[in-house]
Amino acid sequence: MGISLFFFFLFMRLFAEINGGSQDDECKASRCSHHGPVIRFPFRLKHQPEHCGYPEFELSCSEEKRTILELPSSVILWVKEINYTSQEIFVQYPDDCLPRQILNLNLPASFFTYYTNDFSFFNCSESKAEIYELRSIPCSFLSSNPVYVAPSYYTLAGVNLSSCRKIFNATLPFFYINEGEFWMKWLKPMCGNCEAKGNKCQRKKNNSREPEINLFSQVTQFMSLLPLTLSLK
């Protein structure tokens, strides 16, 4: 009976540590809401210590329990999904006018990259019927007249642009026009292969300018518990 209880508590301790994503209780995984993405290394919430995450991977929870990421230039994004294996984060602009904000993106100053396309913006004096090649911007954007956007590689020969003028071209994330959603990827820290094998990374507690990363696995955590087993024999 005593041995059975011992192994039960040993298993529960191991389970808690593995699912917490870190042996540090301050850095345990969390969510802003029941359906929100799991937040763990390299991300951390604002109230957690710096060693819980990587620089600029700080998230926060809004009053509506949305997961929030703030990028350089004060760009605010809602985080809808985080894939720790592919190292991708799916985000959405809270503002209905995606292009108005998206031009402020300064991702070279951050750890994130995104898949881009070249887009052309048109200012039209009259409304146009939306088609696959030409989509309206559902907000006031640079002008009181309707503004439309199309990927620059689209052929617009069959589109009536007689009342329109091109206002600029821009290289932007490959986003969904109406929803304002797009994927971003982080290249550093490289923990995707580790995650794919069921392991996790954590940041070392040190004061070095370049953060150092530890890899820990379920086997490593289990082996760390073996001295407890041996001491009871």
Side-chain angles (χ1 to χ4, degrees):
M1 180 66 176
I3 295 178
S4 298
L5 284 175
F6 163 72
F7 279 107
F8 171 77
F9 286 116
L10 179 64
F11 171 78
M12 291 303 293
R13 178 181 168 186
L14 176 62
F15 180 83
E17 290 185 356
I18 291 172
N19 284 277
S22 172
Q23 294 180 344
D24 190 341
D25 287 340
E26 295 176 313
C27 302
K28 63 183 179 182
S30 59
R31 300 175 187 260
C32 289
S33 68
H34 179 70
H35 298 291
V38 175
I39 300 169
R40 56 179 173 81
F41 188 86
F43 296 92
R44 69 177 177 91
L45 286 172
K46 279 188 175 182
H47 69 269
Q48 293 178 309
E50 287 189 7
H51 71 263
C52 293
Y54 213 70
E56 294 193 31
F57 282 72
E58 183 180 276
L59 302 177
S60 59
C61 300
S62 69
E63 293 182 359
E64 297 80 19
K65 297 185 178 180
R66 292 183 181 273
T67 308
I68 303 296
L69 171 67
E70 184 173 353
L71 294 176
S73 303
S74 299
V75 173
I76 304 296
L77 300 171
W78 290 342
V79 179
K80 304 188 71 176
E81 184 180 342
I82 302 174
N83 189 320
Y84 291 92
T85 301
S86 63
Q87 301 195 173
E88 293 178 301
I89 179 171
F90 190 48
V91 296
Q92 179 182 24
Y93 270 86
D95 191 329
D96 289 335
C97 191
L98 171 66
R100 182 169 58 208
Q101 287 199 58
I102 212 167
L103 295 176
N104 294 326
L105 271 177
N106 185 22
L107 291 191
S110 77
F111 282 85
F112 298 98
T113 61
Y114 52 66
Y115 309 105
T116 62
N117 267 334
D118 292 330
F119 291 88
S120 298
F121 289 82
F122 298 88
N123 183 5
C124 302
S125 59
E126 59 184 39
S127 298
K128 299 291 182 180
E130 282 197 39
I131 56 176
Y132 184 73
E133 294 88 349
L134 193 70
R135 306 297 296 273
S136 67
I137 301 300
C139 60
S140 176
F141 178 63
L142 298 180
S143 169
S144 58
N145 293 330
V147 175
Y148 295 83
V149 60
S152 299
Y153 56 84
Y154 279 1
T155 300
L156 299 177
V159 179
N160 179 11
L161 297 175
S162 58
S163 62
C164 304
R165 65 181 180 86
K166 183 186 290 187
I167 47 180
F168 62 82
N169 293 325
T171 300
L172 301 174
F174 186 80
F175 56 82
Y176 299 92
I177 297 296
N178 292 334
E179 293 84 4
E181 301 171 340
F182 62 98
W183 285 95
M184 298 194 302
K185 187 176 184 67
W186 72 88
L187 302 178
K188 189 177 181 180
M190 287 293 294
C191 291
N193 292 335
C194 165
E195 293 277 347
K197 296 175 182 177
N199 304 322
K200 292 180 175 62
C201 293
Q202 64 183 8
R203 183 175 170 180
K204 289 183 179 179
K205 291 184 181 179
N206 55 34
N207 297 319
S208 63
R209 178 171 297 182
E210 182 70 18
E212 298 179 45
I213 306 302
N214 271 335
L215 163 67
F216 65 95
S217 65
Q218 297 181 18
V219 174
T220 301
Q221 293 187 56
F222 181 77
M223 292 299 292
S224 70
L225 298 177
L226 287 183
L228 173 63
T229 307
L230 295 174
S231 66
L232 294 179
K233 288 186 177 181

